[in-house]
Every structure is written in structure tokens, then in C-alpha cells.
Amino acid sequence: MYREGDRYRVFSRRTVLLAGGKLVLATILVGRMYYLQVLESSRYKTLADENRISLRLIQPPRGSIVDRFGNPLAENRKNYRVVVIPEQTVDIEATLGRLDRILPIGTAERRRVFHEMRRQRGFIPVVVRENLNWDEVSRVEVNMPDLPGVLITVGQSRYYPLGASAAHVIGYVAAVAEGERTEDPLLQLPDFRIGKSGIEKIYDLDLRGKAGNSRVEVNAFGRVVRELSLEEGKSGHQVTLTLDSYLQDFTNKQFDHQSGAAVAMDIHSGEVLLMSSTPGFDPNEFVVGLSEESWNRLLGDRQAPLTNKCIAGQYAPGSTYKMIVAIAALEAGLVMPEQRVFCQGHIDLGRYRFHCWKPKGHGHVGLVEAIQQSCDVYFYELARRCGIDRISEMARRFGFGKVLIKDLPGERAGLVPDPEWKRAAFGTPWQGGETLITGIGQGYVLATPLQLAVMMARLVNGGYEVFPHVTKAIASARGSAARLATALSSLGIGQNTLSLVREGMVAVTNEPGGTAYGSRISNKAMAMGGKTGTSQVMRITKRERDEGIPKNADRPWHERDHALFVGFAPIAAPRYAVAVLVEHGGSGSAVAAPIARDILLAIQQRNSAPQDGQPVES
């Protein structure tokens, strides 16, 4: 049994221990406070500021793209968007459900919204739908009390005034894919767009501009309280093209829903005035996001609307290749202009027979008549005399078999066949008959419409190595960087040779019996010369020749011949070259030549190219 004194000592000891513990805790607390508020005050002040102040990127306006006269080809427009801020939405599913009743949201959009929500912090807005019209904006605004976390914001979106008419040259912008992200912070912005094809792609860095930034004060939840400072970004550069938007749209309409391509250029400067590939696609659909149905429709279209046929379509050039054979033979001294060849409708080589397009033959024809009437037998003979190596070498001098344009992506080189190529491709030697069919632009030889236009330009500009381009200038805030004119190299072709071939092309369109006489330009000051071409897609069999060659109209579309025409104007002082191809269009004289005539007439009436004596920009 404890005595009173013992209880007092126990109580005193416990009191001392408790007081001591409190003193230790108080010391630790004071020490910690001293450490945080005195010794580490600078560090924690910085951290607090960083939590309080947030730096946000401001997307710069994308640079515009205009034609040679300053008409817009790609510009920015106000874009009303509905966005949702996840942290301000208690039940995102329910919110999107209510929004869906006002503004229908597809399954793909809903899936994208949830995907973006998972990738970023909760206070960052996620775009649900862009490019709202005023009626849609009004309906969302009226129902805003029932849509917590939903806002209407105003941004900018790309707009292409010509739509499908210039889509293959201008290209389009679309959202950044995972594999396209770099260290550029702009690419992290959820609604940022980059160039995916055409001019938009090749000049994407120039068009992007420089991002601005905004320093804002945020609360503990990351919500903006006020803006502390603002640094405006720099707009992207304006890109001026050599295209004439009127001619571009005009040419597209001439095809009248047929599949094909047309290129027209200044033969001295290389400026491409129009580059039309039909059918096209509407680049505006890509900006807002193409639906799966639309994408599958474009991919499944046998007329290949996504392909720029001007630079990526490769075709047998047909009779438009005959000028190359004629020049090769004349330069080698293997034929004289007055020398005549007898065409009886065919020529035999070994056990093979090669037919002229005219079964009964052209009779005796010289060089000019052979071009005028497109006699196949005459060019079989020239090709036999030249041999494939001379023909191939001359073709390369005129731009075949190589990439020509540097300011457009996606060009294909075509094919200039020779024995070395065939050994590498098939492991078999070159045959004499293959030289003959190459002489009329058939067999293995392939060319793009752009290459055909360049061939024509080099042929009528005096034999100079002009290269095509579509960029005229890139303008920045510091001024305009224009392309500089460069001296053109000579192809080394005799002027008499070029004059003779040109005489034949003038006869094609201006002399009765010429294969495009029906498409001549009656205004003598604007008259054109040129050459028709009809390239076979399917080989004509012996049975078909015996029983009668089927008409193009009787064949399935994909088995019909391609229609071609290359031309220039005006005859007196050539300035423009054009190449037209209509896929499976049939006869070059009946289908392609009228389109080329209308294009050359329209170009001359607009007088699009720089005046003589003016400096040529590059």
C-alpha cells in the first residue's frame, strides 16, 4: 500500500517527463519552423511562385498561302468550338450525354474526348467539336446552366477557298500524330495543326510561326485567377505561289468529272501557272477531321482522288514521245528532214509485226508530215535507226526519268528504259522490238504530266534546261524572300533540229490532216502548236485485229486508252507550255486536245506570266 509521499513522487516524476516531452516536441517544431521559414525560405518562395504562376503557350496564326495575284489559297478563319473542362464536371458521361442531345456527338468524337482527358491534367480544356455555326453556338449557350464544365471558345482554323480545285498542290493541315511530335512545344497543344501534304507540308515550319506566351496566376486547383503578362507570338510567313487561282479552277472544270491531270508553265521561268489533278478532295474536311466513312470512300475510289496525278501519276506517253525520237535521230544524223519513209500500215521485225494506228498506212511521209499525222511506222523506223541508248539519252536531257520539282512532295521519277535497266529489273537482254515500241511512247517508258510539260517547255524555249516550280516568294515580317532568277543551261540541241520538230507540231494543229486540227485556235496571235497522244492500256490481240478492234467505249473504263496532248502558244513567240492527260479518255485528239486549247487560250487572255524584261523571281 502506497504512502502519501510515494504517490507525490510518482506524480512529480510523470509531470517532469511530460513537461520534458513537450519541451522536446516544441523544440523540434520551432527548429523545423526556423528551417522552413528562415533557412529554406528562398527555395520555398520560388516553389510557391511556380505553383502560383503558370506559363501558357499562345498558338500563333498560321501563315497564309496566296496565288501569284495575292488571292487566298489557304487562310485562317474564326473557329467557334465547344470544349469541356474535366475538373469542373462532376459526371463527364452525364455532361456529354446532355450535350449530345443539343449537339450530336459521334462515337469517334466521344472516344477522342476521353482519350485526350486521360493524357492531360483535369483543368485543361478538351475540344469536343469545332467549326460550330451560329445556330449551334446559340443552342449550347442557352443550355449552359445544365452543362457544367462546358464552354464556347473562339480559335482559328484553316480554310481552303478553292476546295478540291487546288487540294493536291496546297495540301492540308491536320492534328499532330504521335510519331510527329518533336521538342517544339507547339506540337503539345491539343488543337494544333501541322501540314500533312503539298505546300502546307513542305513549308510547314515557315507557316507555323512562333508561339507567344502568357504568365497567369492560378489558384491551388490550377484555375486561372488573373493574367500577369502577355507576349504575343509571331504569325507564320506568307507563301506566294506561282499559280493563278482562276486558271486552276477553270482547268478543273474543263475535265467535267473525268479523271486526269493538266500542267501549264512559263517556258522561260519555269513558273507553274496551274497544276490540276482530278478528281480531287476537299481539304477542309481534313481540317475538321475526316469521318471513317469519308476516308474509306476516298481510298476506295478507283479514280484515286488522293493522288496528285500531275507529279505522281506515271503513264505511257504515247505519241507525245515521238518528238524525242525525232530529235535523237536528227541530232545523230540518222535521218534527213526531206527523207521519206513508206508506211503501209505496219512494219515487220523478225517474226513480229508492228502496226500503225492507221491500218491502211500513210504512204510516203517525211519528218514534218509524220509528226503532223502521227505516223507510227515512220517512228518505228527512226527508233530502229537510233537504237534505245540514243533515245534514252535524249529523253533524259528533256527531263524524263528524274524528279524535277523541288517545292512539292510526292513526285515520282517515271521510267526511261534501256538495256541496263531491263537486265536489272528482269534479268533478260533488251530486244529490238522493244526499241520500236519505245519509239512511239509505249512499252516500258513512263512519264508524269509534269515531265511532259517540261519536255514541251524545253523544246520550244530554244533548248534550255528549265525546271518547274510553284513557289514565287516567302514573305516574313522582315520582308519578302523571292526566288532569284538563274541562267538556264543549254541542252546542246541544234536550233535547226528544234525548228523542224516545232514545224511538225504547228502542222498538227494548223494544217488539214493534223491530228488536232479540229482543236486549233482561230485567233492567229494566240494560235497553238502541239502533239496528240493516245496510249494503250491493254494490248490489242491478233484475234481482235482479225475480228475488229473494239472501240474504247465498248471496253470497261479501266481498259480504255489514255488521251494526251502537249502544246505551246503562241506560235510566233512561244511563252507557255501545257500537258493534258485524261485517264482512259480515249483519243488524244478528240478528248485531250480541246482541253489544252481552252487552257492555252485562257492563259493568253489573262496574260499571267511576268512581262518580258521584268526580273523573274524564284
Side-chain angles (χ1 to χ4, degrees):
M1 188 172 181
Y2 287 106
R3 293 178 298 180
E4 187 64 28
D6 294 336
R7 282 200 300 271
Y8 177 77
R9 283 194 295 275
V10 170
F11 177 78
S12 299
R13 190 165 50 248
R14 287 177 178 174
T15 301
V16 170
L17 288 174
L18 186 59
K22 286 182 177 180
L23 181 62
V24 170
L25 287 174
T27 303
I28 293 173
L29 183 60
V30 170
R32 184 62 179 169
M33 290 176 65
Y34 178 79
Y35 174 79
L36 293 176
Q37 295 189 10
V38 179
L39 299 182
E40 292 288 328
S41 64
S42 177
R43 173 170 171 255
Y44 284 103
K45 184 175 184 302
T46 303
L47 289 175
D49 283 344
E50 287 178 353
N51 287 333
R52 183 176 63 88
I53 300 171
S54 176
L55 190 66
R56 299 190 173 184
L57 284 179
I58 299 176
Q59 187 172 317
R62 191 173 178 83
S64 61
I65 303 173
V66 300
D67 77 348
R68 63 188 302 114
F69 299 116
N71 298 312
L73 298 170
E75 58 186 355
N76 302 317
R77 285 193 167 184
K78 277 188 177 179
N79 173 18
Y80 291 97
R81 304 175 293 192
V82 60
V83 302
V84 60
I85 303 175
E87 72 164 14
Q88 297 180 8
T89 307
V90 178
D91 186 343
I92 187 68
E93 285 275 10
T95 301
L96 289 180
R98 286 193 289 273
L99 183 61
D100 182 57
R101 290 194 288 273
I102 304 165
L103 197 69
I105 304 171
T107 305
E109 284 178 314
R110 190 182 290 260
R111 195 163 48 233
R112 178 186 54 77
V113 168
F114 281 105
H115 174 70
E116 290 186 14
M117 282 172 48
R118 287 191 292 270
R119 289 178 52 210
Q120 58 195 34
R121 300 176 66 180
F123 60 83
I124 297 178
V126 175
V127 177
V128 180
R129 176 77 68 78
E130 296 185 272
N131 297 296
L132 302 182
N133 57 40
W134 189 244
D135 177 61
E136 292 170 326
V137 171
S138 303
R139 280 190 279 128
V140 174
E141 287 285 0
V142 167
N143 290 277
M144 204 65 85
D146 297 326
L147 300 169
V150 173
L151 292 175
I152 295 290
T153 63
V154 183
Q156 289 191 333
S157 65
R158 206 61 160 165
Y159 177 68
Y160 303 96
L162 292 188
S165 291
H168 294 100
V169 181
I170 309 304
Y172 61 90
V173 296
V176 184
E178 288 295 336
E180 295 170 327
R181 297 190 188 279
T182 64
E183 294 180 355
D184 187 344
L186 279 174
L187 302 185
Q188 306 303 319
L189 297 176
D191 57 344
F192 191 72
R193 299 287 188 270
I194 62 170
K196 296 285 186 173
S197 70
I199 293 296
E200 290 278 29
K201 179 177 181 179
I202 208 156
Y203 291 119
D204 184 59
L205 292 179
D206 295 288
L207 291 164
R208 277 185 201 175
K210 184 179 178 183
N213 62 73
S214 170
R215 291 176 70 246
V216 295
E217 185 178 355
V218 297
N219 62 16
F221 300 99
R223 192 173 296 112
V224 176
V225 176
R226 60 179 173 141
E227 186 174 72
L228 301 175
S229 64
L230 173 66
E231 183 182 346
E232 295 286 355
K234 291 183 180 177
S235 172
H237 297 171
Q238 181 184 78
V239 176
T240 302
L241 301 187
T242 60
L243 298 183
D244 179 334
S245 57
Y246 169 81
L247 293 175
Q248 186 75 22
D249 196 45
F250 172 85
T251 302
N252 256 45
K253 291 173 180 170
Q254 303 312 303
F255 279 91
D256 192 22
H257 305 296
Q258 297 181 95
S259 177
V263 178
M265 58 185 287
D266 184 297
I267 65 170
H268 301 299
S269 67
E271 290 185 358
V272 175
L273 302 173
L274 63 93
M275 181 178 282
S276 173
S277 179
T278 62
F281 60 91
D282 187 355
N284 296 299
E285 292 186 28
F286 285 80
V287 176
V288 298
L290 201 64
S291 68
E292 188 174 345
E293 180 185 357
S294 297
W295 178 246
N296 290 333
R297 174 176 50 77
L298 289 171
L299 286 181
D301 192 331
R302 63 181 181 174
Q303 294 186 334
L306 294 174
T307 300
N308 183 354
K309 299 182 181 73
C310 297
I311 59 174
Q314 301 181 113
Y315 310 89
S319 294
T320 62
Y321 204 63
K322 289 175 178 173
M323 281 86 76
I324 296 296
V325 181
I327 294 170
L330 287 167
E331 287 294 289
L334 298 171
V335 66
M336 300 300 290
E338 64 278 6
Q339 191 174 3
R340 304 177 79 78
V341 171
F342 181 68
C343 170
Q344 59 179 336
H346 65 266
I347 186 173
D348 293 325
L349 181 69
R351 58 190 179 90
Y352 295 103
R353 173 162 289 183
F354 298 85
H355 296 267
C356 184
W357 68 267
K358 189 175 183 179
K360 293 183 180 179
H362 291 88
H364 290 89
V365 291
L367 177 68
V368 172
E369 293 165 295
I371 295 174
Q372 175 191 356
Q373 301 175 34
S374 198
C375 175
D376 290 336
V377 167
Y378 183 91
F379 286 95
Y380 289 145
E381 176 61 20
L382 256 59
R384 186 189 65 77
R385 294 182 191 181
C386 282
I388 189 62
D389 288 332
R390 284 197 181 92
I391 297 173
S392 300
E393 189 275 332
M394 189 58 68
R396 293 190 182 98
R397 274 205 253 181
F398 277 84
F400 292 102
K402 60 182 76 170
V403 171
L404 297 172
I405 195 164
K406 296 180 179 177
D407 50 359
L408 271 183
E411 184 183 5
R412 300 181 72 179
L415 176 63
V416 176
D418 57 21
E420 185 179 350
W421 166 82
K422 191 183 176 190
R423 276 193 296 273
F426 300 105
T428 55
W430 187 264
Q431 302 297 318
E434 292 168 334
T435 301
L436 267 59
I437 59 174
T438 301
I440 61 167
Q442 295 282 171
Y444 300 118
V445 61
L446 293 174
T448 66
L450 179 68
Q451 288 171 339
L452 293 173
V454 170
M455 173 197 72
M456 180 53 55
R458 293 181 178 185
L459 206 159
V460 297
N461 72 358
Y464 291 98
E465 191 180 30
V466 66
F467 284 93
H469 60 268
V470 295
T471 310
K472 195 172 180 65
I474 300 176
S476 69
R478 291 174 295 179
S480 177
R483 294 172 63 95
L484 300 175
T486 55
L488 302 179
S489 302
S490 171
L491 298 175
I493 310 295
Q495 292 303 309
N496 287 340
T497 296
L498 296 175
S499 296
L500 276 168
V501 174
R502 199 167 117 187
E503 183 182 344
M505 290 191 292
V506 171
V508 167
T509 51
N510 295 278
E511 297 293 336
T515 53
Y517 183 67
S519 297
R520 64 190 178 282
I521 295 176
S522 55
N523 183 336
K524 297 296 182 186
M526 297 184 179
M528 73 173 184
K531 183 71 190 75
T532 56
T534 302
S535 66
Q536 289 180 357
V537 175
M538 299 294 293
R539 182 173 176 271
I540 300 173
T541 65
K542 184 176 185 308
R543 182 177 61 81
E544 287 176 328
R545 288 192 184 280
D546 294 341
E547 296 177 357
I549 301 172
K551 295 179 180 177
N552 263 296
D554 296 331
R555 294 177 182 271
W557 178 79
H558 65 278
E559 293 183 2
R560 299 174 188 171
D561 300 336
H562 295 317
L564 300 103
F565 187 85
V566 293
F568 65 95
I571 289 174
R575 188 170 170 191
Y576 306 106
V578 67
V580 173
L581 175 137
V582 180
E583 280 191 319
H584 309 294
S587 163
S589 59
V591 178
I595 296 175
R597 173 201 57 204
D598 293 343
I599 292 172
L600 283 174
L601 197 53
I603 291 175
Q604 293 178 89
Q605 289 168 344
R606 283 180 66 75
N607 197 24
S608 296
Q611 297 296 313
D612 293 341
Q614 285 187 340
V616 179
E617 296 177 339
S618 75

